[in-house]
């Protein structure tokens, strides 16, 4: 454990990664959700260092812009979401899944995405033969949970293991999962992320 180093990274706006994870040779999934613009540099570095095999983003791609509440912010949203998609799609990930959130523009995300798989509300896919359910919305996950479930939006459904099913709330933490063992590594979002989400841990926005 390196508590001081972890705290330094957290306060500096980045994510501390243990060096042992950099040597991982198995297929992996990186799960993130509800990402404000402030987090993009940390995400770019995280992807470069972890080199995930798959990436799952469960919506509200630019979460500092509440597009559903302020549709006039569409131009700012478009500029930022293009930045995010470029970060994701220039990675070496085999597949990238983008679940649309309530503050996303479906038309523009689909227009900007070149190789990402865009999920409108909910979908169950197979990643390395593991059934995975992906949605922005916890309620959509609970309609038919799969072996692994990725979601965001609010904390009405917490991260947990229940009846052999894994539930990962991408607001709580960043998840890096080894698909052969289903072992999950958790990373805290950097300082200020939740402030830019406008208190998303305390309320659904």
């Amino acid at each position: 454990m390196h508590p001081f180093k972890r705290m330094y990274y957290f306060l500096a706006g980045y994510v501390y990664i243990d060096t042992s994870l950099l040597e991982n040779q198995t297929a992996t999934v990186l799960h993130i959700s509800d990402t404000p613009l402030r987090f993009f540099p940390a995400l770019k570095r995280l992807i470069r260092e972890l080199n995930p095999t798959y990436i799952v983003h469960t919506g509200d791609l630019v979460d500092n812009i509440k597009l559903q509440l302020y549709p006039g912010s569409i131009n700012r949203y478009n500029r930022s979401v293009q930045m995010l998609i470029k970060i994701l799609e220039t990675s070496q990930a085999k597949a990238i899944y983008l679940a649309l959130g309530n503050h996303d523009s479906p038309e523009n995300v689909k227009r900007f995405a070149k190789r990402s798989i865009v999920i409108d509300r909910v979908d169950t896919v197979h990643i390395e033969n593991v059934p995975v359910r992906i949605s922005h919305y916890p309620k959509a996950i609970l309609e038919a949970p799969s072996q692994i479930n990725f979601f965001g939006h609010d904390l009405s459904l917490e991260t947990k293991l229940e009846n052999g099913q894994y539930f990962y709330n991408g607001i709580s933490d960043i998840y890096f999962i080894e698909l052969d063992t289903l072992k999950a590594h958790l990373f805290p979002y950097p300082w200020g992320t939740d402030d830019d989400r406008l208190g998303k841990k305390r309320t659904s926005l």
Side-chain angles (χ1 to χ4, degrees), residues 13-172:
Y14 291 95
V15 179
Y16 175 78
I17 304 171
D18 191 279
T19 54
S20 63
L21 291 179
L22 304 181
E23 302 169 1
N24 180 71
Q25 298 297 317
T26 63
T28 55
V29 179
L30 177 67
H31 172 218
I32 51 176
S33 193
D34 300 71
T35 52
L37 181 62
R38 178 201 296 258
F39 175 63
F40 290 4
L43 175 61
K44 185 175 182 178
R45 181 173 180 172
L46 191 66
I47 291 173
R48 183 176 68 246
E49 294 186 355
L50 288 176
N51 192 27
T53 318
Y54 302 91
I55 300 173
V56 175
H57 193 307
T58 49
D60 285 357
L61 304 178
V62 189
D63 200 27
N64 55 295
I65 300 176
K66 303 301 181 185
L67 198 57
Q68 186 179 42
L69 301 176
Y70 306 105
S73 299
I74 187 64
N75 290 334
R76 280 201 308 131
Y77 171 86
N78 285 343
R79 289 193 296 269
S80 297
V81 83
Q82 285 184 82
M83 289 172 55
L84 176 67
I85 291 173
K86 183 177 180 180
I87 290 171
L88 299 176
E89 295 192 346
T90 53
S91 73
Q92 297 183 49
K94 288 183 179 180
I96 301 159
Y97 299 90
L98 305 178
L100 296 170
N102 55 305
H103 293 300
D104 287 315
S105 166
E107 177 184 357
N108 288 313
V109 171
K110 291 175 182 178
R111 178 161 61 96
F112 298 138
K114 304 303 179 186
R115 68 183 190 94
S116 299
I117 299 165
V118 180
I119 297 171
D120 283 294
R121 180 176 178 271
V122 62
D123 197 8
T124 299
V125 302
H126 282 77
I127 301 178
E128 300 281 327
N129 296 318
V130 178
V132 178
R133 191 164 175 86
I134 301 170
S135 179
H136 181 61
Y137 306 100
K139 287 183 179 179
I141 292 293
L142 291 175
E143 290 169 0
S146 194
Q147 185 174 4
I148 294 180
N149 302 275
F150 293 127
F151 53 95
H153 185 57
D154 61 28
L155 292 177
S156 60
L157 180 60
E158 296 183 352
T159 295
K160 61 181 178 178
L161 170 60
E162 185 174 84
N163 299 323
Q165 296 174 320
Y166 296 85
F167 296 83
Y168 293 110
N169 190 320
I171 291 178
S172 302

Side-chain angles (χ1 to χ4, degrees), residues 155 171-173 189 194 197-204:
L155 292 177
I171 291 178
S172 302
D173 292 284
Y189 284 94
D194 196 47
R197 290 167 167 164
L198 302 183
K200 187 169 285 291
K201 283 190 178 179
R202 296 181 289 278
T203 184
S204 301

